[in-house]
Amino acid sequence: MSRLQLLKKFAQVVTLQVQQSRTFQGSAQCFRKFNAPLSGNDLARPAGIASMMRLPVQETSEDLDVCFVGVPLDAGTSNRSGTRFGPRQIRSESCIIRHVNNATGAQPFDSIQVADVGDVWMNIYNLPEACKNIKDGFTKLMSTGCKTLAVGGDHTITWPILQAVKEKYGPVGLVHIDAHADTNEGLLGAPVNHGAPFRHAAVEGCLDCKRVVQIGLRGTGYAIEDYEWGKKQGFRIVQAHECWHKSLAPLMEEVREMMRDGPVYISFDIDGIDPAFAPGTGTPEIAGLTPIQALEIIRGCRGLNIVGGDLVEVSPPYDTTGNTALLAANLLFEMLCVFPGVKYADV
């Protein structure tokens, strides 16, 4: 075969490959290989390094659509400590998570590129400095266009994360599930703590306060006006007793209308769930939400412009069975499933 004939043959092969790419892919995602959880058929679930959902681990957020990132902090805790161990335990329990959501049809690992990027570096001995470290770390992660799912850590971490989110997306709507409003001025004269992140975030303009909903608030308080500050900012408050004995799907229809097409952040404090289901947390309050209601809330966020989220306040020393961390891992999977770009099959 002559040189000219070889060149013509090569051109035909390239043309055929391009045609196949257009036929079978039809988008810029041609030949893109997505990360997926390691199957239990490939490696026993107790084996291997404990990454989130047994996904690959990488040092940066390059080429990722969403990343899991640990924030092992408990210096802002007011009661039981131990949330610094939360990310590690949640990763360990997440080994049971598989590829698809059989209830909703969500197929995140066939749709978007996801990996575990390890833990953000911070000075755990200096809380204000740690907050600056967290903000800088998330700013860097988001600079590539990657969205983040933070694995906490106490709820202090959400304030610096929202600072980074504001720089990227502007003020965001907030779906906040919690037993506590976390809008305190301070504790023992210290303004930075896990009871104050949303007061700081609102004051600094990180939140679009007319698009903030807090679900599951309950417990004893310091004054009957405890929730008034948030209401004055425009927050919608849904106390836990308003959720008893009912589906929260109708509530989430209202929330979707409230959030419209603006950017939305999800912050889930595990103590929003009743301690009968999630005892491993620092500030448990009785008569909370059920895991079923938690799924209704998160699945109800499908279709929103989710730009980030977190799951916080898992304290392994108080989680003797591991069930709190297991629940947290599943909630993080559900949050991943509602990110923009995730494909759904008919179920």
Side-chain angles (χ1 to χ4, degrees):
M1 186 179 290
S2 69
R3 180 180 176 84
L4 179 59
Q5 288 173 320
L6 284 171
L7 289 172
K8 286 182 178 179
K9 186 68 174 178
F10 177 74
Q12 289 173 347
V13 171
V14 171
T15 300
L16 180 59
Q17 288 176 335
V18 171
Q19 289 172 343
Q20 289 174 335
S21 172
R22 288 172 180 167
T23 301
F24 294 113
Q25 301 296 333
S27 73
Q29 301 256 350
C30 296
F31 305 116
R32 189 181 188 194
K33 184 179 183 296
F34 294 110
N35 296 332
L38 187 63
S39 169
N41 292 317
D42 296 323
L43 183 69
R45 297 207 178 274
I49 295 171
S51 67
M52 273 303 294
M53 303 174 192
R54 306 217 296 180
L55 287 163
V57 178
Q58 62 183 62
E59 293 184 358
T60 73
S61 58
E62 291 290 339
D63 301 319
L64 297 180
D65 299 305
V66 179
C67 69
F68 289 103
V69 53
V71 193
L73 181 74
D74 63 4
T77 302
S78 59
N79 190 34
R80 301 170 174 174
S81 60
T83 56
R84 68 179 63 189
F85 304 113
R88 183 175 296 173
Q89 188 63 31
I90 293 169
R91 284 186 172 106
S92 180
E93 295 294 341
S94 75
C95 70
I96 197 67
I97 305 294
R98 301 174 183 88
H99 290 213
V100 301
N101 190 322
N102 282 325
T104 67
Q107 303 172 85
F109 305 112
D110 295 326
S111 317
I112 57 177
Q113 192 70 296
V114 189
D116 188 327
V117 295
D119 293 345
V120 67
W121 188 93
M122 61 190 161
N123 182 354
I124 64 171
Y125 303 106
N126 184 319
L127 186 55
E129 185 178 338
C131 287
K132 183 180 184 303
N133 299 149
I134 294 167
K135 191 254 187 182
D136 291 345
F138 276 79
T139 297
K140 184 175 181 180
L141 288 171
M142 288 188 285
S143 68
T144 66
C146 180
K147 296 175 181 177
T148 61
L149 272 172
V151 188
D154 74 55
H155 222 152
T156 309
I157 73 172
T158 305
W159 170 40
I161 294 172
L162 286 172
Q163 290 177 320
V165 168
K166 178 190 174 186
E167 289 186 357
K168 181 76 174 180
Y169 300 101
V172 294
L174 176 71
V175 178
H176 172 208
I177 304 93
D178 204 323
H180 312 97
D182 292 350
T183 53
N184 293 337
E185 280 192 86
L187 294 172
L188 296 177
V192 182
N193 59 77
H194 74 164
F198 300 110
R199 190 181 193 103
H200 294 310
V203 169
E204 294 180 356
C206 300
L207 301 177
D208 178 354
C209 292
K210 302 301 181 184
R211 296 193 303 122
V212 172
V213 60
Q214 297 183 303
I215 305 171
L217 307 191
R218 64 190 188 278
T220 55
Y222 295 106
I224 204 66
E225 300 84 14
D226 277 356
Y227 302 144
E228 289 304 310
W229 188 89
K231 290 178 181 179
K232 289 178 181 177
Q233 313 313 306
F235 296 6
R236 178 174 178 182
I237 307 295
V238 183
Q239 294 188 57
H241 66 263
E242 300 175 65
C243 303
W244 291 350
H245 314 300
K246 65 176 66 172
S247 167
L248 298 188
L251 169 64
M252 293 312 296
E253 290 181 9
E254 298 174 13
V255 170
R256 287 193 298 274
E257 179 65 26
M258 175 185 183
M259 297 297 164
R260 301 185 300 280
D261 58 355
V264 177
Y265 188 89
I266 304 173
S267 186
F268 203 119
D269 188 325
I270 201 68
D271 73 22
I273 306 295
D274 190 273
F277 303 104
T281 190
T283 317
E285 305 282 2
I286 67 164
L289 304 176
T290 69
I292 293 171
Q293 291 174 315
L295 294 188
E296 288 182 315
I297 293 170
I298 297 174
R299 292 175 182 178
C301 292
R302 179 181 173 185
L304 296 180
N305 181 19
I306 307 299
V307 299
D310 62 55
L311 189 295
V312 299
E313 296 289 350
V314 171
S315 181
Y318 296 92
D319 187 27
T320 55
T321 64
N323 283 347
T324 308
L326 176 63
L327 174 57
N330 278 273
L331 294 178
L332 283 161
F333 173 70
E334 294 283 343
M335 290 166 69
L336 177 66
C337 287
V338 298
F339 269 78
V342 171
K343 296 187 300 187
Y344 279 73
D346 293 329
V347 293

